[in-house]
Amino acid sequence: MRSDAIKKGIARAPQRSLFKALGFIDEELSRPLIGIAVAKSEIAPGHLHLDIIAKAAADGVRMAGGVPIQFPVIGVCDGIAMGHEGMRYSLVTRELIADSIECMAMAHGFDALLFIPNCDKIVPGMLMAAARLNAPSVFVSGGPMLAGRDSKGAPLTLTNMFEAVGAVGSGAMSEAELAELENAACPGCGSCAGMFTANSMNCVTEALGMALPGNGAIPAVMAERTRLAKKTGALILDVLKKDIRPRSIMTEKAFMNALALDMALGCSTNTALHLPAIAHETGFKLDMALLNKVSAATPNLCHLAPAGSAVIEDLHAAGGVPAVLAELDKKNLIDTTAATVYGTLKDSVKHAVNRNAAVIRPIDNPFSPTGGLAALFGNLAPDGCVVKQSAVAPGMLKHEGPARCFDSEESAFNAIMGGEILAGDVVIIRYEGPCGGPGMKEMLAPTGALAGRGLDDKVALVTDGRFSGATRGAAIGHVSPEAAAEGGLIGLLKDGDRISIDIPARHITALLSDAEIAQRKREKTPFIPKTSDPRSYLTRYARQVSSAALGAVFIKE
C-alpha cells in the first residue's frame, strides 16, 4: 500500500505518533488509508450538507475495511459571486482545487481517494486532480436542490431570480413579487435545480465512468443520496483492490460518451471549458471541432431548465442519466464497453427504464436531431466560440444585427437595465476572457436581464467571457481569440458593425472587410489589465492561463 511509506517501520515512528494524536489505533494503521476530499462549506447551498454525504461515505469505507480521512476543499458559490467582482474568482479556483488536492494526496500518502464535490468548479477541479494523480478514485456528489414553487405551483430555479431582476427593471414585476420569488426559488440544500453547470458536470461524471449511476440526478435531500454515498465509500476499497486507475477509465472512449450525454441532456456551455481541461490532464485533446462532430450525430433528448420547465428532480424520476444513456445506446451513440469504477457502462444502462417520455424524449422523437451545444467559427471567432443551442429561441438561430459594444459586464448590464438595448441588437461584451477578465466571469446578470425584459428572443449576446448554465437565449461565449491577451477581433468591433450569426451553419462573422480590420489593428491602443496588483492571484492566473478554446488550462510559463 502507498500509505506504508508513512506508517511502517522504525523510521516512521514519528509519523505514527502523529496519527495516534489524531486518535488512530494500530489496527487502523494496518488498513488502507482513504483520503476523502470534501467541499463542505457554509457559503454554498450545494455544499452545506456535504458533511452528511461525507459521513455516509466514511461509513461505507469503514464497512469495507478502510480508514476514511477527510480533508477540506474550497468552493465558490457562483450564484452568490455572480454580477460583481467576486465572479472573477470562480473559474480560477478550478486550478487551485486540483493543485491543493494534489498537495494533500501526495503529502499524506493516501492509498486511494474519494471525491465529494457538488458545484461548478469543484467537480472539474476534482476530476482534474484525479486524472493527474492517477490514484484509485471514485466520486459521489452532494446532489441537486429541489425546485422551488411559485404561487401557482410552477417550478422555480435560480434562473427565475435573475430574470425577475430584469422584469422589475422594465416594470413588468413589482418589488413585492420579486421578494415573494426570492423566498421561494431556492428551498434548501443542493446544487441549483436546473441543468446548470454543477448538475451538468455531476451527470457527465457518470458518463465518464467515475461515479455510480445516480450521481447526477438523485436530489440532495433524499435518503437515496445518502445510500449512494455509503455505497461509494464501500466501492473505493474494491477499486483499490483491483488497482483501477482514473486514466484507465477516463479514456478517449469515455470522453466521447461524456460528450454524447452532454449533447443529449443539453448541458451547460461551461462543459466546453471543463471537459477539455480534464482531458488535458489525461493527455487526450478535446477541442471545439470534436464537440461539433459529436453534436451533429447526437439528438437532444432533454429540455431541462433553463431550456424548458423540467428540473433535475424530474430527470431523476424519469430514470436519470442511465435512462438517457440507454436511449443513446439504442442508436449506438455511446460505447457501453467503456470501463467504469463499477464495471462497464453497460452495467449502468442494462436495467435503465425511461419512465417519462416528456422529460427524456425517446431516441426516435428528440427535441432536435443535433445536440444541445454548438461551436461556431468565423472571423469573429477563428478558434471557436460556444452556444447552448437547445436554449435558443428558434427565431434567433439565425440573426444579423448591429453591434452594441461594452468593455465590461457591468456596463452592459447597466445599459440593458436602462432600456438602451433594442430588439435586433447584438450585445458585445469583451475584455472578460480568461486573461482579460481576468478570470472569465459568468454573465447570468445581463442574460437574465435581457430575458426579464422580454428580449432573449430578440437580442443576441456575444462575449469572450462565459455564461452560467442557467442562461438561456442566443448567448454566445468563449469567443477565441479573446480581446485582451490574444488581440481577437471582438476587441476591434465598434457600435453599429453588423454581426451575422448562423447557429445551424456553425458560423459567426463580423461583416467587415479585411482592409478595415487591418486598419483597426493598427489603431488599436494597448490593453490595460483590469487587475494589475502583482500580489493578486488573478495577476498570476492571467500570466499562466491559456485560451478558452483550450479549456483555459495552465500551459504558459
Side-chain angles (χ1 to χ4, degrees):
M1 291 189 294
R2 184 173 181 274
S3 63
D4 287 350
I6 63 168
K7 65 185 185 183
K8 279 199 171 182
I10 294 172
R12 293 296 176 256
Q15 285 84 351
R16 289 195 297 274
S17 73
L18 291 169
F19 275 106
K20 290 179 178 180
L22 294 168
F24 283 70
I25 59 176
D26 289 334
E27 286 81 359
E28 288 177 298
L29 293 177
S30 69
R31 298 176 182 179
L33 302 185
I34 309 301
I36 301 182
V38 55
K40 155 72 180 178
S41 76
E42 295 184 348
I43 189 60
H47 295 185
L48 183 65
H49 66 305
L50 292 189
D51 53 344
I52 297 171
I53 304 300
K55 181 182 181 302
D59 288 345
V61 169
R62 288 192 182 92
M63 285 190 296
V67 179
I69 304 174
Q70 294 184 34
F71 62 91
V73 174
I74 64 169
V76 167
C77 176
D78 279 18
I80 293 174
M82 195 77 66
H84 58 92
E85 184 69 12
M87 181 41 69
R88 301 194 193 285
Y89 287 88
S90 172
L91 178 62
V92 303
T93 63
R94 190 185 66 184
E95 273 57 37
L96 287 176
I97 288 164
D99 290 349
S100 63
I101 291 171
E102 176 189 350
C103 292
M104 290 295 288
M106 295 303 295
H108 299 111
F110 297 125
D111 295 300
L113 295 164
L114 195 158
F115 294 90
I116 304 178
N118 215 26
C119 292
D120 299 28
K121 300 323 144 313
I122 298 84
V123 186
M126 287 186 174
L127 284 165
M128 290 165 68
R132 185 186 303 172
L133 290 162
N134 205 32
S137 301
V138 295
F139 279 67
V140 59
S141 78
M145 184 186 293
L146 295 177
R149 300 286 161 176
D150 66 16
S151 58
K152 298 179 181 177
L156 294 172
T157 71
L158 189 64
T159 297
N160 299 99
M161 290 310 307
F162 279 92
E163 294 181 0
V165 172
V168 171
S170 69
M173 179 182 288
S174 70
E175 290 191 31
E177 290 171 315
L178 178 67
E180 184 178 344
L181 288 182
E182 178 184 318
N183 288 317
C186 298
C189 65
S191 48
C192 296
M195 187 49 76
F196 310 151
T197 306
N199 294 324
S200 295
M201 290 306 305
N202 284 324
C203 289
V204 161
T205 302
E206 284 190 49
L208 280 174
M210 292 299 295
L212 284 168
N215 181 70
I218 299 171
V221 296
M222 284 189 171
E224 188 178 357
R225 171 64 57 179
T226 308
R227 295 197 299 270
L228 183 72
K230 204 168 288 187
K231 290 177 182 177
T232 303
L235 175 64
I236 188 59
L237 273 298
D238 187 56
V239 170
L240 174 62
K241 180 179 179 181
K242 294 176 180 177
D243 195 30
I244 300 171
R245 304 293 178 123
R247 290 204 292 267
S248 69
I249 294 172
M250 289 191 282
T251 62
E252 180 177 350
K253 190 184 297 186
F255 281 106
M256 296 301 285
N257 285 339
L259 280 174
L261 177 70
D262 190 330
M263 298 305 160
L265 285 174
C267 288
S268 163
T269 52
N270 279 315
T271 59
L273 276 179
H274 299 323
L275 282 172
I278 299 161
H280 177 75
E281 295 286 352
T282 71
F284 173 60
K285 184 179 180 182
L286 193 162
D287 57 23
M288 289 193 184
L290 183 59
L291 183 151
N292 271 349
K293 179 181 178 181
V294 177
S295 182
T298 310
N300 178 226
L301 304 181
C302 300
H303 267 192
L304 300 161
S309 60
V311 290
I312 302 298
E313 64 198 77
D314 297 322
L315 175 64
H316 173 59
V321 169
V324 179
L325 292 172
E327 292 292 345
L328 294 174
D329 190 39
K330 292 176 182 178
K331 293 291 179 86
N332 297 314
L333 296 173
I334 58 168
D335 188 337
T336 59
T337 67
T340 70
V341 289
Y342 53 87
T344 67
L345 207 61
K346 184 176 182 179
D347 297 313
S348 175
V349 303
K350 64 183 177 183
H351 299 303
V353 177
N354 185 350
R355 301 186 185 94
N356 189 336
V359 175
I360 304 172
R361 288 278 189 94
I363 195 70
D364 291 321
N365 182 33
F367 283 102
S368 69
T370 56
L373 299 185
L376 312 183
F377 297 87
N379 70 351
L380 190 51
D383 295 336
C385 56
V386 66
V387 62
K388 187 171 184 174
Q389 63 178 350
S390 60
V392 178
M396 289 299 294
L397 291 171
K398 293 184 179 181
H399 179 73
E400 182 181 318
R404 295 294 312 280
C405 300
F406 302 92
D407 290 348
S408 69
E409 176 197 13
E410 292 83 359
S411 58
F413 177 76
N414 291 336
I416 295 167
M417 293 297 286
E420 299 174 29
I421 303 302
L422 306 177
D425 285 347
V426 179
V427 176
I428 304 291
I429 305 178
R430 66 251 185 128
Y431 301 109
E432 294 289 9
C435 177
M440 203 179 185
K441 290 161 64 177
E442 283 187 346
M443 300 189 200
L444 182 52
T447 59
L450 285 172
R453 299 179 75 88
L455 292 172
D456 59 295
D457 60 350
K458 303 175 183 67
V459 170
L461 196 157
V462 179
T463 181
D464 53 8
R466 62 195 181 95
F467 297 107
S468 165
T471 286
R472 62 186 173 100
I476 299 165
H478 307 192
V479 168
S480 302
E482 63 172 290
E486 299 174 308
L489 178 57
I490 189 172
L492 304 178
L493 297 178
K494 297 179 180 179
D495 284 351
D497 289 342
R498 302 294 294 183
I499 308 298
S500 174
I501 299 165
D502 190 335
I503 295 173
R506 307 296 192 252
H507 208 252
I508 184 167
T509 305
L511 302 179
L512 298 170
S513 68
D514 290 345
E516 175 64 20
I517 293 171
Q519 178 63 28
R520 292 189 188 184
K521 284 183 178 179
R522 288 192 292 270
E523 297 171 351
K524 178 68 176 174
T525 56
F527 170 68
I528 300 174
K530 294 178 181 177
T531 300
S532 56
D533 185 344
R535 298 165 296 184
S536 171
Y537 172 55
L538 293 182
T539 301
R540 287 185 281 126
Y541 181 86
R543 286 200 303 265
Q544 294 180 277
V545 71
S546 73
S547 164
L550 300 176
V553 296
F554 282 179
I555 59 173
K556 301 176 185 177
E557 293 299 328

